[in-house]
Amino acid sequence: MTHTLLAFLGACTLIAASPGPSSILIIRHSLHTRRAGFLAVLGNETGVFIWGLAAAFGLTGLLAASQLAYDIMRIVGAVVLVGFGIQAIRSARRDGLTGFITAEAGNTAKAEPEPGSGRRAYRAALTLNLANPKAAVFAMSFLPQFVPHGSPQLPTMVALAAIWAAYEVGYYSLYVWFVGRMRAVLGRAKVRRRLEQTSGGVMVALGIRMAVES
């Protein structure tokens, strides 16, 4: 069991280290506040755990077996991704306009975080994860590989899903910590706008790719 757990955690590390929409969204929210970044992490991992439970109960198999259901969810996921990307690009433009007005007015006060930004970060990350059909199919194919022979499948897969989500909370929290440590550089108006524009462009591109692929 120890060997299986170590192999599972190694696989979880490789999954988390692979760049994707969730990591981009977490970094984007971390640029605003550390709290928003952590809540984005929790939102993403709530989605991971939900898909893990669905895989344990065999529900993701229904999605994999139905091409229509998969395609509908794929289009929904693409729309969500493009929507978040456009939102990031618009936010960068809005920040640029706000910075210009502030500079013209001679106001050097720092902008306060938007109220409720943490809750929005949680909802955004959860929505993005649950709208991704690949996450569902991946959970279905990933978790059963690490169920030891002779172990009860349902409780073991539920436990693995919980470990997977908890491990990624720790892993992605390092992203939030790093962005926080680099806030003096990343928090500069021009740098932040560029990062917002880049993250938005990447999410739009990923959304278009999800929409057109079969």
Side-chain angles (χ1 to χ4, degrees):
M1 186 63 189
T2 301
H3 177 75
T4 301
L5 183 59
L6 290 175
F8 178 70
L9 293 178
C12 289
T13 303
L14 293 176
I15 294 167
S18 301
S22 293
S23 57
I24 293 171
L25 192 68
I26 289 168
I27 292 172
R28 178 179 173 245
H29 281 292
S30 298
L31 290 171
H32 291 270
T33 66
R34 185 170 292 180
R35 177 175 179 270
F38 278 124
L39 284 174
V41 171
L42 292 178
N44 184 69
E45 299 319 312
T46 300
V48 167
F49 184 61
I50 289 173
W51 283 132
L53 288 179
F57 284 95
L59 300 179
T60 53
L62 299 177
L63 179 62
S66 172
Q67 185 63 42
L68 177 60
Y70 183 89
D71 287 341
I72 291 173
M73 193 170 176
R74 176 172 56 82
I75 296 301
V76 170
V79 171
V80 169
L81 259 176
V82 171
F84 283 148
I86 294 174
Q87 185 182 54
I89 294 170
R90 291 179 62 186
S91 176
R93 291 179 178 175
R94 186 170 60 249
D95 288 347
L97 180 59
T98 301
F100 174 77
I101 294 173
T102 300
E104 288 294 311
N107 184 0
T108 58
K110 293 183 179 179
E112 293 295 327
E114 296 180 8
S117 60
R119 292 191 296 272
R120 283 197 294 273
Y122 179 89
R123 288 196 299 268
L126 176 60
T127 301
L128 181 61
N129 192 288
L130 293 182
N132 185 359
K134 287 186 175 181
V137 175
F138 180 79
M140 180 188 67
S141 60
F142 174 61
L143 292 177
Q145 298 180 49
F146 295 93
V147 177
H149 181 70
S151 298
Q153 183 163 347
L154 178 59
T156 303
M157 286 183 65
V158 170
L160 288 174
I163 293 171
W164 183 12
Y167 181 79
E168 286 197 349
V169 166
Y171 185 92
Y172 284 124
S173 292
L174 294 176
Y175 284 31
V176 180
W177 174 84
F178 178 77
V179 172
R181 294 287 293 179
M182 296 292 292
R183 194 174 300 280
V185 175
L186 300 179
R188 293 175 182 172
K190 289 184 179 180
V191 175
R192 180 169 155 178
R193 285 200 301 273
R194 290 297 183 189
L195 289 173
E196 287 272 20
Q197 291 168 346
T198 301
S199 64
V202 170
M203 283 191 281
V204 169
L206 290 173
I208 294 173
R209 177 183 176 184
M210 183 182 291
V212 300
E213 68 183 4
S214 58

Coordinates of all heavy atoms in Angstrom, one line a residue, residues 120-207:
R120 N -15.8 34.9 -5.5 CA -15.8 34.8 -6.9 C -14.7 33.9 -7.4 O -14.9 33.1 -8.4 CB -15.7 36.2 -7.6 CG -17.0 37.0 -7.5 CD -17.0 38.1 -8.5 NE -16.0 39.1 -8.1 CZ -16.2 40.1 -7.3 NH1 -17.4 40.3 -6.7 NH2 -15.3 41.0 -7.0
A121 N -13.6 34.0 -6.8 CA -12.4 33.1 -7.2 C -12.8 31.6 -7.0 O -12.5 30.8 -7.8 CB -11.2 33.5 -6.4
Y122 N -13.4 31.4 -5.8 CA -13.8 30.0 -5.5 C -14.8 29.5 -6.6 O -14.6 28.4 -7.1 CB -14.4 29.9 -4.1 CG -14.9 28.5 -3.8 CD1 -14.0 27.6 -3.1 CD2 -16.2 28.1 -4.0 CE1 -14.4 26.3 -2.8 CE2 -16.6 26.8 -3.7 CZ -15.7 25.9 -3.1 OH -16.1 24.7 -2.8
R123 N -15.8 30.3 -6.8 CA -16.9 29.8 -7.8 C -16.3 29.7 -9.2 O -16.6 28.7 -9.9 CB -18.0 30.9 -7.8 CG -18.9 30.9 -6.6 CD -20.2 31.6 -6.8 NE -19.9 33.0 -7.2 CZ -19.9 34.0 -6.3 NH1 -20.1 33.8 -5.1 NH2 -19.7 35.2 -6.7
A124 N -15.4 30.6 -9.6 CA -14.8 30.5 -10.9 C -14.0 29.3 -11.1 O -14.1 28.6 -12.1 CB -13.9 31.8 -11.2
A125 N -13.2 28.9 -10.1 CA -12.3 27.8 -10.2 C -13.1 26.5 -10.2 O -12.9 25.5 -10.9 CB -11.3 27.7 -9.1
L126 N -14.2 26.4 -9.3 CA -15.0 25.3 -9.3 C -15.8 25.1 -10.6 O -15.9 24.0 -11.1 CB -16.0 25.4 -8.1 CG -17.1 24.3 -8.0 CD1 -16.4 23.0 -7.8 CD2 -18.1 24.7 -6.8
T127 N -16.3 26.2 -11.1 CA -17.1 26.1 -12.4 C -16.2 25.6 -13.5 O -16.6 24.8 -14.3 CB -17.6 27.5 -12.7 OG1 -18.5 27.9 -11.7 CG2 -18.4 27.5 -14.1
L128 N -15.0 26.2 -13.6 CA -14.0 25.8 -14.6 C -13.7 24.3 -14.6 O -13.7 23.6 -15.6 CB -12.7 26.6 -14.5 CG -11.7 26.4 -15.6 CD1 -12.2 26.7 -17.0 CD2 -10.4 27.2 -15.3
N129 N -13.5 23.8 -13.4 CA -13.2 22.4 -13.3 C -14.3 21.5 -13.6 O -14.2 20.5 -14.4 CB -12.7 22.1 -11.8 CG -12.1 20.7 -11.7 OD1 -12.7 19.7 -11.8 ND2 -10.7 20.7 -11.5
L130 N -15.5 21.8 -13.1 CA -16.7 21.0 -13.4 C -17.2 21.1 -14.8 O -17.9 20.2 -15.3 CB -17.8 21.4 -12.5 CG -17.6 21.1 -11.0 CD1 -18.8 21.5 -10.2 CD2 -17.3 19.6 -10.7
A131 N -16.8 22.2 -15.5 CA -17.2 22.3 -16.9 C -16.2 21.6 -17.9 O -16.4 21.7 -19.1 CB -17.3 23.8 -17.3
N132 N -15.2 21.0 -17.4 CA -14.2 20.4 -18.2 C -14.5 18.9 -18.3 O -14.2 18.1 -17.4 CB -12.8 20.6 -17.6 CG -11.7 20.1 -18.5 OD1 -12.0 19.5 -19.6 ND2 -10.5 20.3 -18.1
P133 N -15.0 18.4 -19.4 CA -15.3 16.9 -19.5 C -14.0 16.1 -19.5 O -14.1 14.9 -19.1 CB -15.9 16.8 -20.9 CG -15.4 18.0 -21.7 CD -15.3 19.1 -20.7
K134 N -12.9 16.6 -19.9 CA -11.6 15.9 -19.8 C -11.3 15.5 -18.4 O -10.7 14.5 -18.1 CB -10.5 16.7 -20.4 CG -10.6 16.7 -22.0 CD -9.3 17.4 -22.5 CE -9.3 17.4 -24.1 NZ -8.1 18.0 -24.6
A135 N -11.6 16.4 -17.4 CA -11.3 16.2 -16.0 C -12.1 15.0 -15.5 O -11.7 14.1 -14.8 CB -11.7 17.4 -15.2
A136 N -13.4 14.9 -16.0 CA -14.2 13.7 -15.6 C -13.7 12.4 -16.2 O -13.5 11.4 -15.4 CB -15.7 14.0 -16.1
V137 N -13.4 12.4 -17.5 CA -12.9 11.2 -18.1 C -11.5 10.8 -17.5 O -11.2 9.6 -17.3 CB -12.8 11.4 -19.6 CG1 -12.2 10.2 -20.3 CG2 -14.2 11.6 -20.2
F138 N -10.7 11.8 -17.3 CA -9.4 11.5 -16.7 C -9.5 10.9 -15.3 O -8.8 9.9 -15.0 CB -8.6 12.8 -16.6 CG -7.2 12.6 -16.0 CD1 -6.2 12.1 -16.8 CD2 -6.9 12.9 -14.7 CE1 -4.9 11.9 -16.3 CE2 -5.6 12.7 -14.2 CZ -4.6 12.2 -15.0
A139 N -10.4 11.4 -14.5 CA -10.6 10.8 -13.1 C -11.0 9.4 -13.2 O -10.6 8.5 -12.5 CB -11.6 11.7 -12.4
M140 N -11.9 9.1 -14.2 CA -12.3 7.7 -14.4 C -11.2 6.8 -14.8 O -11.2 5.6 -14.4 CB -13.4 7.7 -15.5 CG -14.0 6.3 -15.7 SD -15.1 6.3 -17.2 CE -13.9 6.6 -18.5
S141 N -10.3 7.3 -15.6 CA -9.2 6.4 -16.1 C -8.0 6.4 -15.1 O -7.2 5.5 -15.1 CB -8.7 6.8 -17.5 OG -8.3 8.2 -17.4
F142 N -7.9 7.5 -14.3 CA -6.7 7.7 -13.5 C -6.8 6.9 -12.1 O -5.9 6.1 -11.8 CB -6.5 9.1 -13.2 CG -5.4 9.5 -12.2 CD1 -4.1 9.1 -12.5 CD2 -5.7 10.2 -11.0 CE1 -3.1 9.4 -11.5 CE2 -4.7 10.5 -10.1 CZ -3.4 10.1 -10.4
L143 N -7.9 7.1 -11.4 CA -8.0 6.6 -10.1 C -8.0 5.0 -10.0 O -7.3 4.5 -9.1 CB -9.3 7.1 -9.4 CG -9.2 8.6 -9.1 CD1 -10.6 9.1 -8.5 CD2 -8.1 9.0 -8.1
P144 N -8.7 4.3 -10.9 CA -8.7 2.9 -10.8 C -7.4 2.2 -10.9 O -7.2 1.1 -10.4 CB -9.7 2.4 -11.9 CG -10.5 3.6 -12.2 CD -9.6 4.8 -11.9
Q145 N -6.4 2.9 -11.5 CA -5.1 2.3 -11.7 C -4.4 2.1 -10.4 O -3.5 1.3 -10.3 CB -4.2 3.2 -12.6 CG -4.8 3.4 -14.0 CD -3.9 4.3 -14.8 OE1 -2.6 4.1 -14.8 NE2 -4.4 5.3 -15.5
F146 N -4.8 2.9 -9.4 CA -4.1 2.8 -8.1 C -4.9 2.1 -7.0 O -4.5 2.3 -5.8 CB -3.7 4.3 -7.7 CG -2.8 4.9 -8.6 CD1 -3.2 5.7 -9.7 CD2 -1.4 4.7 -8.5 CE1 -2.3 6.3 -10.5 CE2 -0.5 5.3 -9.4 CZ -1.0 6.1 -10.4
V147 N -5.9 1.4 -7.4 CA -6.6 0.6 -6.4 C -5.9 -0.7 -6.2 O -5.8 -1.5 -7.2 CB -8.1 0.4 -6.8 CG1 -8.8 -0.5 -5.8 CG2 -8.8 1.7 -7.0
P148 N -5.3 -1.0 -5.1 CA -4.6 -2.3 -4.9 C -5.5 -3.5 -5.1 O -6.7 -3.5 -4.9 CB -4.1 -2.2 -3.4 CG -4.1 -0.8 -3.1 CD -5.3 -0.2 -3.9
H149 N -4.9 -4.5 -5.7 CA -5.6 -5.8 -5.9 C -6.2 -6.3 -4.6 O -5.5 -6.4 -3.6 CB -4.7 -6.8 -6.6 CG -5.4 -8.1 -6.9 ND1 -6.3 -8.2 -7.9 CD2 -5.3 -9.3 -6.3 CE1 -6.7 -9.5 -7.9 NE2 -6.1 -10.1 -7.0
G150 N -7.5 -6.6 -4.7 CA -8.1 -7.2 -3.5 C -8.8 -6.1 -2.6 O -9.5 -6.5 -1.7
S151 N -8.5 -4.8 -2.8 CA -9.1 -3.8 -2.0 C -10.5 -3.4 -2.5 O -10.7 -3.5 -3.7 CB -8.2 -2.5 -2.0 OG -6.9 -2.8 -1.5
P152 N -11.4 -3.1 -1.6 CA -12.7 -2.6 -2.1 C -12.6 -1.4 -2.9 O -12.1 -0.4 -2.5 CB -13.5 -2.4 -0.7 CG -12.4 -2.2 0.3 CD -11.2 -3.0 -0.2
Q153 N -13.2 -1.4 -4.1 CA -12.9 -0.3 -5.1 C -13.6 1.0 -4.7 O -12.9 2.0 -4.7 CB -13.4 -0.7 -6.5 CG -13.1 0.3 -7.5 CD -13.3 -0.2 -8.9 OE1 -13.3 -1.4 -9.1 NE2 -13.3 0.7 -9.9
L154 N -14.8 1.0 -4.2 CA -15.5 2.2 -3.9 C -14.8 3.0 -2.8 O -14.5 4.2 -3.0 CB -17.0 2.0 -3.6 CG -17.8 3.2 -3.2 CD1 -17.8 4.2 -4.4 CD2 -19.2 2.8 -2.9
P155 N -14.7 2.5 -1.6 CA -14.0 3.2 -0.6 C -12.6 3.6 -0.9 O -12.1 4.7 -0.5 CB -14.1 2.4 0.7 CG -14.3 1.0 0.2 CD -15.1 1.1 -1.1
T156 N -11.9 2.8 -1.6 CA -10.5 3.1 -1.9 C -10.4 4.2 -2.9 O -9.6 5.1 -2.8 CB -9.8 1.8 -2.6 OG1 -9.9 0.7 -1.6 CG2 -8.3 2.2 -2.8
M157 N -11.3 4.2 -3.9 CA -11.3 5.3 -4.9 C -11.7 6.7 -4.2 O -11.2 7.7 -4.6 CB -12.2 5.0 -6.1 CG -11.6 4.0 -7.0 SD -12.6 3.7 -8.5 CE -12.6 5.2 -9.3
V158 N -12.7 6.6 -3.3 CA -13.1 7.8 -2.6 C -11.9 8.3 -1.8 O -11.7 9.6 -1.8 CB -14.3 7.5 -1.7 CG1 -14.6 8.7 -0.7 CG2 -15.5 7.2 -2.5
A159 N -11.2 7.4 -1.1 CA -10.0 7.9 -0.3 C -9.0 8.5 -1.2 O -8.3 9.5 -0.9 CB -9.5 6.7 0.4
L160 N -8.7 7.8 -2.4 CA -7.7 8.4 -3.3 C -8.1 9.7 -3.9 O -7.3 10.6 -4.0 CB -7.5 7.4 -4.5 CG -6.8 6.1 -4.2 CD1 -6.8 5.1 -5.4 CD2 -5.4 6.3 -3.7
A161 N -9.4 9.9 -4.1 CA -9.9 11.2 -4.6 C -9.7 12.3 -3.5 O -9.3 13.4 -3.9 CB -11.4 11.1 -4.9
A162 N -9.9 12.0 -2.3 CA -9.7 12.9 -1.2 C -8.2 13.2 -1.1 O -7.8 14.4 -0.9 CB -10.2 12.3 0.1
I163 N -7.3 12.2 -1.2 CA -5.9 12.4 -1.1 C -5.4 13.3 -2.3 O -4.6 14.2 -2.1 CB -5.1 11.1 -1.1 CG1 -5.4 10.3 0.2 CG2 -3.6 11.3 -1.3 CD1 -4.9 8.9 0.2
W164 N -5.9 13.0 -3.5 CA -5.6 13.8 -4.7 C -5.9 15.2 -4.5 O -5.1 16.1 -4.7 CB -6.4 13.2 -5.8 CG -6.1 13.8 -7.2 CD1 -5.1 14.6 -7.5 CD2 -6.9 13.6 -8.4 NE1 -5.2 15.0 -8.9 CE2 -6.3 14.3 -9.4 CE3 -8.0 12.8 -8.7 CZ2 -6.8 14.3 -10.7 CZ3 -8.5 12.8 -10.0 CH2 -7.9 13.6 -11.0
A165 N -7.1 15.5 -4.0 CA -7.6 16.9 -3.8 C -6.7 17.6 -2.8 O -6.3 18.7 -2.9 CB -9.0 17.0 -3.5
A166 N -6.5 16.9 -1.6 CA -5.7 17.5 -0.5 C -4.3 17.8 -1.0 O -3.7 18.8 -0.6 CB -5.7 16.6 0.7
Y167 N -3.7 16.8 -1.7 CA -2.3 17.0 -2.2 C -2.2 18.2 -3.1 O -1.3 19.0 -3.0 CB -1.9 15.7 -2.9 CG -0.4 15.8 -3.4 CD1 0.6 15.6 -2.5 CD2 -0.1 16.1 -4.7 CE1 1.9 15.7 -3.0 CE2 1.1 16.2 -5.2 CZ 2.2 15.9 -4.3 OH 3.5 16.0 -4.8
E168 N -3.2 18.4 -4.0 CA -3.1 19.5 -4.9 C -3.4 20.8 -4.2 O -2.9 21.9 -4.7 CB -4.1 19.3 -6.1 CG -3.6 18.3 -7.1 CD -4.4 18.3 -8.4 OE1 -5.4 19.1 -8.5 OE2 -4.0 17.7 -9.4
V169 N -4.1 20.8 -3.1 CA -4.3 22.0 -2.3 C -2.9 22.5 -1.9 O -2.6 23.7 -2.0 CB -5.2 21.8 -1.1 CG1 -5.1 23.0 -0.1 CG2 -6.7 21.7 -1.5
G170 N -2.1 21.6 -1.3 CA -0.8 21.9 -0.9 C 0.1 22.3 -2.1 O 0.9 23.3 -2.0
Y171 N 0.0 21.7 -3.2 CA 0.9 22.0 -4.4 C 0.5 23.3 -4.9 O 1.4 24.2 -5.1 CB 0.7 20.9 -5.4 CG 1.6 21.1 -6.6 CD1 2.8 20.4 -6.6 CD2 1.3 21.9 -7.7 CE1 3.7 20.6 -7.7 CE2 2.1 22.1 -8.8 CZ 3.3 21.4 -8.8 OH 4.2 21.6 -9.8
Y172 N -0.7 23.6 -5.2 CA -1.1 24.9 -5.8 C -1.0 26.0 -4.8 O -0.9 27.2 -5.2 CB -2.5 24.8 -6.3 CG -2.6 24.1 -7.6 CD1 -3.5 23.0 -7.8 CD2 -1.8 24.4 -8.7 CE1 -3.6 22.3 -9.0 CE2 -1.9 23.7 -9.9 CZ -2.8 22.6 -10.0 OH -2.9 21.9 -11.2
S173 N -1.0 25.7 -3.5 CA -0.8 26.8 -2.5 C 0.6 27.4 -2.7 O 0.9 28.5 -2.3 CB -1.0 26.3 -1.1 OG -2.3 25.9 -0.9
L174 N 1.6 26.6 -3.2 CA 2.9 27.1 -3.5 C 2.9 28.1 -4.5 O 3.6 29.1 -4.5 CB 3.8 25.9 -3.9 CG 4.1 24.9 -2.8 CD1 5.0 23.7 -3.4 CD2 4.8 25.5 -1.6
Y175 N 2.0 28.0 -5.5 CA 1.8 29.0 -6.6 C 1.4 30.3 -5.9 O 1.9 31.4 -6.2 CB 0.7 28.6 -7.6 CG 1.2 27.5 -8.6 CD1 2.1 26.6 -8.3 CD2 0.6 27.5 -9.8 CE1 2.5 25.6 -9.2 CE2 1.0 26.5 -10.8 CZ 1.9 25.6 -10.4 OH 2.2 24.6 -11.3
V176 N 0.3 30.2 -5.0 CA -0.2 31.4 -4.4 C 0.9 32.1 -3.5 O 1.0 33.3 -3.5 CB -1.4 31.0 -3.5 CG1 -2.0 32.2 -2.8 CG2 -2.5 30.3 -4.3
W177 N 1.7 31.2 -2.8 CA 2.7 31.8 -2.0 C 3.8 32.5 -2.8 O 4.3 33.6 -2.5 CB 3.4 30.6 -1.2 CG 4.6 31.1 -0.4 CD1 4.6 31.6 0.8 CD2 6.0 31.0 -0.8 NE1 5.9 31.9 1.2 CE2 6.8 31.5 0.2 CE3 6.6 30.5 -1.9 CZ2 8.2 31.5 0.2 CZ3 8.0 30.5 -2.0 CH2 8.7 31.0 -1.0
F178 N 4.2 31.9 -4.0 CA 5.2 32.4 -4.8 C 4.7 33.8 -5.4 O 5.5 34.7 -5.4 CB 5.5 31.5 -6.0 CG 6.5 32.0 -6.9 CD1 7.9 32.1 -6.6 CD2 6.1 32.5 -8.2 CE1 8.8 32.6 -7.5 CE2 7.1 33.0 -9.1 CZ 8.4 33.0 -8.7
V179 N 3.5 33.8 -5.9 CA 2.9 35.1 -6.4 C 2.9 36.1 -5.4 O 3.2 37.3 -5.6 CB 1.5 34.8 -7.0 CG1 0.9 36.2 -7.4 CG2 1.6 33.9 -8.2
G180 N 2.6 35.7 -4.1 CA 2.6 36.7 -3.0 C 3.9 37.2 -2.7 O 4.1 38.4 -2.4
R181 N 4.9 36.3 -2.8 CA 6.3 36.8 -2.5 C 6.8 37.7 -3.6 O 7.7 38.6 -3.3 CB 7.2 35.5 -2.4 CG 6.9 34.6 -1.2 CD 7.4 35.2 0.1 NE 8.8 35.3 0.2 CZ 9.5 35.9 1.2 NH1 8.8 36.3 2.2 NH2 10.8 35.9 1.2
M182 N 6.3 37.5 -4.8 CA 6.7 38.3 -6.0 C 5.8 39.5 -6.2 O 5.9 40.1 -7.2 CB 6.8 37.4 -7.2 CG 7.8 36.3 -7.2 SD 9.5 37.0 -7.2 CE 9.6 37.6 -8.8
R183 N 5.0 39.8 -5.2 CA 4.0 40.8 -5.4 C 4.6 42.2 -5.7 O 4.0 43.0 -6.4 CB 3.1 40.9 -4.2 CG 1.8 41.8 -4.4 CD 0.9 41.7 -3.2 NE 0.5 40.3 -2.9 CZ -0.5 39.7 -3.6 NH1 -1.1 40.3 -4.6 NH2 -0.8 38.5 -3.3
A184 N 5.8 42.5 -5.1 CA 6.4 43.7 -5.4 C 6.7 44.0 -6.9 O 6.6 45.1 -7.4 CB 7.7 43.8 -4.6
V185 N 7.0 42.8 -7.6 CA 7.2 42.9 -9.0 C 5.9 42.7 -9.8 O 5.5 43.5 -10.7 CB 8.3 41.9 -9.5 CG1 8.4 41.9 -11.0 CG2 9.6 42.2 -8.8
L186 N 5.2 41.6 -9.5 CA 4.0 41.2 -10.2 C 2.9 42.2 -10.0 O 1.9 42.2 -10.8 CB 3.6 39.8 -9.9 CG 4.6 38.7 -10.1 CD1 4.1 37.3 -9.7 CD2 5.0 38.6 -11.6
G187 N 2.9 42.9 -8.8 CA 1.8 43.8 -8.5 C 1.9 45.1 -9.2 O 1.0 46.0 -9.1
R188 N 3.0 45.4 -9.9 CA 3.1 46.6 -10.6 C 2.0 46.7 -11.7 O 1.7 45.7 -12.4 CB 4.5 46.8 -11.3 CG 5.6 46.9 -10.2 CD 7.0 46.9 -10.9 NE 8.0 47.0 -9.9 CZ 9.3 46.9 -10.2 NH1 9.7 46.6 -11.5 NH2 10.3 46.9 -9.3
A189 N 1.5 47.9 -11.9 CA 0.3 48.0 -12.8 C 0.6 47.5 -14.2 O -0.2 46.7 -14.7 CB -0.1 49.5 -12.9
K190 N 1.7 47.8 -14.8 CA 2.0 47.4 -16.1 C 2.2 45.9 -16.2 O 1.7 45.2 -17.1 CB 3.2 48.1 -16.7 CG 3.0 49.6 -17.0 CD 4.2 50.3 -17.6 CE 3.9 51.7 -17.9 NZ 5.1 52.4 -18.5
V191 N 3.0 45.4 -15.2 CA 3.2 43.9 -15.2 C 2.0 43.1 -15.0 O 1.7 42.2 -15.7 CB 4.3 43.6 -14.1 CG1 4.5 42.1 -14.0 CG2 5.6 44.3 -14.4
R192 N 1.1 43.6 -14.1 CA -0.1 42.9 -13.8 C -1.0 42.9 -15.0 O -1.7 41.9 -15.4 CB -0.8 43.6 -12.6 CG -2.1 42.9 -12.2 CD -2.6 43.5 -10.9 NE -4.1 43.3 -10.8 CZ -4.7 43.7 -9.7 NH1 -4.1 44.2 -8.7 NH2 -6.0 43.6 -9.7
R193 N -1.1 44.1 -15.7 CA -1.9 44.1 -16.9 C -1.5 43.2 -18.0 O -2.3 42.5 -18.6 CB -2.0 45.6 -17.5 CG -2.8 46.5 -16.7 CD -3.1 47.7 -17.5 NE -2.0 48.5 -18.0 CZ -1.3 49.4 -17.3 NH1 -1.8 49.7 -16.1 NH2 -0.3 50.0 -17.8
R194 N -0.1 43.1 -18.1 CA 0.4 42.1 -19.1 C 0.1 40.7 -18.8 O -0.3 39.9 -19.6 CB 1.9 42.3 -19.2 CG 2.4 43.6 -19.9 CD 1.9 43.8 -21.3 NE 2.4 45.0 -21.9 CZ 2.0 45.4 -23.1 NH1 1.1 44.7 -23.8 NH2 2.5 46.5 -23.6
L195 N 0.2 40.4 -17.5 CA -0.1 39.0 -17.1 C -1.6 38.7 -17.2 O -2.0 37.6 -17.6 CB 0.3 38.8 -15.6 CG 1.8 38.8 -15.3 CD1 2.1 38.8 -13.8 CD2 2.4 37.6 -16.0
E196 N -2.5 39.7 -16.9 CA -3.9 39.5 -17.1 C -4.2 39.3 -18.6 O -5.0 38.4 -19.0 CB -4.6 40.8 -16.7 CG -4.7 40.9 -15.1 CD -5.9 40.2 -14.5 OE1 -6.5 39.3 -15.2 OE2 -6.3 40.5 -13.4
Q197 N -3.6 40.1 -19.5 CA -3.8 40.0 -20.9 C -3.3 38.6 -21.4 O -4.0 37.9 -22.2 CB -3.1 41.1 -21.7 CG -3.7 42.5 -21.5 CD -2.8 43.6 -22.0 OE1 -1.6 43.4 -22.3 NE2 -3.4 44.8 -22.1
T198 N -2.1 38.2 -20.9 CA -1.6 36.9 -21.3 C -2.4 35.7 -20.9 O -2.8 34.8 -21.7 CB -0.1 36.7 -20.8 OG1 0.7 37.8 -21.3 CG2 0.5 35.4 -21.2
S199 N -2.8 35.8 -19.6 CA -3.7 34.7 -19.1 C -5.0 34.6 -19.8 O -5.5 33.6 -20.1 CB -3.9 34.8 -17.6 OG -4.6 36.0 -17.3
G200 N -5.6 35.8 -20.1 CA -6.8 35.9 -20.8 C -6.7 35.3 -22.2 O -7.5 34.5 -22.7
G201 N -5.6 35.7 -22.9 CA -5.4 35.2 -24.2 C -5.2 33.7 -24.3 O -5.7 33.0 -25.1
V202 N -4.5 33.1 -23.3 CA -4.3 31.7 -23.2 C -5.6 31.0 -22.9 O -5.9 29.9 -23.6 CB -3.3 31.4 -22.1 CG1 -3.2 29.9 -21.8 CG2 -1.9 31.9 -22.5
M203 N -6.4 31.5 -22.0 CA -7.7 30.8 -21.8 C -8.6 30.9 -23.0 O -9.3 29.9 -23.2 CB -8.4 31.5 -20.5 CG -7.7 31.1 -19.2 SD -8.7 31.5 -17.7 CE -8.2 33.3 -17.6
V204 N -8.6 32.0 -23.7 CA -9.5 32.1 -24.9 C -9.0 31.0 -25.9 O -9.8 30.3 -26.5 CB -9.4 33.5 -25.5 CG1 -10.0 33.5 -26.9 CG2 -10.1 34.5 -24.7
A205 N -7.6 30.9 -26.1 CA -7.1 29.9 -27.0 C -7.4 28.5 -26.6 O -7.8 27.7 -27.5 CB -5.6 30.1 -27.1
L206 N -7.3 28.2 -25.3 CA -7.7 26.9 -24.8 C -9.1 26.6 -25.0 O -9.5 25.5 -25.3 CB -7.3 26.8 -23.3 CG -5.8 26.7 -23.0 CD1 -5.6 26.7 -21.5 CD2 -5.1 25.4 -23.6
G207 N -10.0 27.6 -24.8 CA -11.4 27.4 -25.0 C -11.7 27.1 -26.5 O -12.6 26.2 -26.8

